[in-house]
Amino acid sequence: MSAPALRVLAVALVVLAASASLAYLAAPAHAAEGGKIVVALDFSHGESHKDVNYIVGNLSSIAKFVFINNSITYDILKNVDVLIIGQPTTSFSASEIAAITKWLATGKRVLWVAGDSDYGGGPKSQKAVNSLLVAIGARLRLEYGSVYDGVHNAKAFYRVLGIVAPDEAPGFHTDMIAQGITKPVLYHGPDVVIWQDSNGKYHDPVKDVFPGLIRIVWTYNTAYIADNNPPPLVLYDPTVDVNRTFVMLAAEVKGDDIIVVSGESPYGDYAPTWTWYYHGVQLDGPKFVTNMIKWFKWWVTSPTTPKPVLPTPTISYLKTTTTTSSTTTSTTTTTTTHTTTTTHTTTNTATTTGTTGTATPTTTTAKHKSRAAVWAAVIIVIIIIIIAAVALARK
């Protein structure tokens, strides 16, 4: 082969290698173009649209929103990073569960499923949530009951105030969730989160933990369990579990995915977690939901998956001693007097303000790397081609 031909072949190989690198950088994955993640909100199982416009409008700089109005399919989910199911009132079909399972299997996904108390029609939501969690192999569950608080509330025992205090979990950046939060969040008629081990035994997440569990929203230690409608409670006892702390929102690290379960919904509830003022009580609902979406974005775009660790509570009155057995890791918790107080004003009217927005389905191709990285690769390829062309011209 002649020298000119060798030079042409060398240049072609260089360009081919650079193009392959560029193709890798541009390969579809999870994070949407422009640095936004794609968040799907489900409305196909009887969920309400309450506060959705506020959420979409205020989070438009970090997320693109997709509305699921009919049924959940893999075609809808394949370019979605986060799926939020806010208090479903109907069950999930076998095809929907298969679609969610397939979507989670692609990795670096977040599923947030929210339920309700067992008051009124709430048991339908609890059953739908727990059936889905069992089907996807998660440990977290909802208890078949309600949690109330006669002290820390928004002028009624069922308007429970929650403490945003995510566990310390090295490598998981849980401090992002509580960033800037100084006020409680509203859980209006909520349920509590529990978990189930591989032997079918139910556990209290305040006392028993497992690697990968992250407890995020808690009641004050003045809360109590109630049982309003069938089915019966599976773990707690209304005659015993009073004046204590419960978990109302928790996350579970499952492989490369995060599963979030909550006893109330960020949208669509009678008074969703997004609420910022209710019956005279100032709340940090919008900041909390925003922080959760930012945390999800970190997870989705992070190139690595931290190893699940045992959680460490950040609430000062939860003193823990961890013990390990062959089947599960448990934490024994001692509760002391809680000194936090909540001040209520005399105003009894809930007000609503905020930025509105319209969510439309997006079909934007997801990207694993940022636009900046892709453009850098393009520039490198162009420079290589120019240098090669100049070198050949001089021969």
Side-chain angles (χ1 to χ4, degrees):
M1 185 178 291
S2 64
L6 287 173
R7 287 195 293 270
V8 171
L9 179 59
V11 170
L13 290 174
V14 170
V15 172
L16 181 61
S19 299
S21 299
L22 177 60
Y24 168 77
L25 288 169
H30 305 313
E33 289 185 1
K36 298 181 181 182
I37 59 172
V38 180
V39 178
L41 303 180
D42 183 48
F43 299 101
S44 64
H45 296 86
E47 300 95 338
S48 163
H49 285 71
K50 188 167 185 179
D51 281 359
V52 167
N53 280 345
Y54 299 118
I55 294 173
V56 172
N58 283 282
L59 299 183
S60 61
S61 64
I62 60 174
K64 292 185 177 182
F65 288 86
V66 177
F67 284 3
I68 302 176
N69 295 311
N70 295 315
S71 62
I72 298 174
T73 66
Y74 181 72
D75 283 342
I76 293 174
L77 295 179
K78 62 184 179 182
N79 289 326
V80 167
D81 301 303
V82 178
L83 171 60
I84 305 179
I85 302 173
Q87 211 171 82
T89 58
T90 60
S91 60
F92 299 89
S93 68
S95 62
E96 288 179 314
I97 291 174
I100 294 172
T101 302
K102 182 178 179 180
W103 171 71
L104 288 170
T106 61
K108 284 292 183 177
R109 307 300 195 183
V110 178
L111 171 65
W112 182 351
V113 57
D116 199 0
S117 72
D118 70 340
Y119 182 78
K124 292 181 180 179
S125 180
Q126 294 173 338
K127 290 178 182 178
V129 169
N130 283 340
S131 295
L132 175 60
L133 293 171
V134 170
I136 64 174
R139 296 187 184 187
L140 294 179
R141 303 283 186 271
L142 290 177
E143 172 65 286
Y144 289 106
S146 303
V147 64
Y148 299 134
D149 193 323
V151 179
H152 298 91
N153 60 60
K155 298 296 177 61
F157 64 93
Y158 55 87
R159 302 171 187 154
V160 180
L161 298 182
I163 307 169
V164 179
D167 285 323
E168 292 180 357
F172 287 89
H173 298 282
T174 54
D175 56 307
M176 294 175 63
I177 301 171
Q179 186 71 35
I181 292 180
T182 59
K183 297 182 284 291
V185 293
L186 179 66
Y187 273 58
H188 192 287
D191 192 8
V192 296
V193 178
I194 58 177
W195 65 277
Q196 187 177 25
D197 64 28
S198 58
N199 296 320
K201 181 181 179 181
Y202 291 100
H203 295 264
D204 179 353
V206 177
K207 299 177 180 179
D208 299 332
V209 300
F210 59 87
L213 173 65
I214 302 173
R215 300 160 298 181
I216 296 172
V217 179
W218 313 67
T219 69
Y220 288 81
N221 63 357
T222 49
Y224 58 95
I225 286 291
D227 187 9
N228 295 303
N229 287 301
L233 296 163
V234 296
L235 178 64
Y236 294 121
D237 182 345
T239 65
V240 175
D241 293 296
V242 297
N243 293 322
R244 53 156 293 180
T245 299
F246 300 91
V247 176
M248 293 191 291
L249 184 149
E252 171 186 349
V253 181
K254 186 177 181 295
D256 288 332
D257 302 314
I258 287 182
I259 311 298
V260 177
V261 180
S262 59
E264 272 301 340
S265 177
Y267 71 91
D269 181 27
Y270 184 85
T273 310
W274 180 267
T275 304
W276 53 91
Y277 182 85
Y278 203 70
H279 288 280
V281 181
Q282 297 287 341
L283 304 161
D284 265 335
K287 190 172 294 183
F288 168 64
V289 175
T290 299
N291 286 356
M292 288 291 286
I293 298 299
K294 289 181 177 179
W295 187 52
F296 297 160
K297 181 180 178 181
W298 163 77
W299 177 263
V300 166
T301 58
S302 175
T304 61
T305 300
K307 182 180 179 180
V309 296
L310 288 171
T312 302
T314 55
I315 299 178
S316 60
Y317 65 85
L318 291 176
K319 307 297 183 181
T320 61
T321 303
T322 303
T323 58
T324 305
S325 69
S326 59
T327 57
T328 185
T329 302
S330 63
T331 299
T332 304
T333 304
T334 303
T335 303
T336 58
T337 303
H338 183 41
T339 58
T340 303
T341 59
T342 303
T343 303
H344 302 302
T345 65
T346 57
T347 305
N348 288 313
T349 303
T351 60
T352 305
T353 59
T355 305
T356 61
T358 302
T360 55
T362 175
T363 57
T364 305
T365 302
K367 308 293 180 183
H368 182 59
K369 301 293 183 180
S370 67
R371 281 181 180 269
V374 173
W375 278 111
V378 171
I379 292 171
I380 290 172
V381 171
I382 293 173
I383 291 173
I384 291 173
I385 293 172
I386 292 173
I387 292 173
V390 171
L392 286 173
R394 290 178 177 177
K395 295 294 183 179

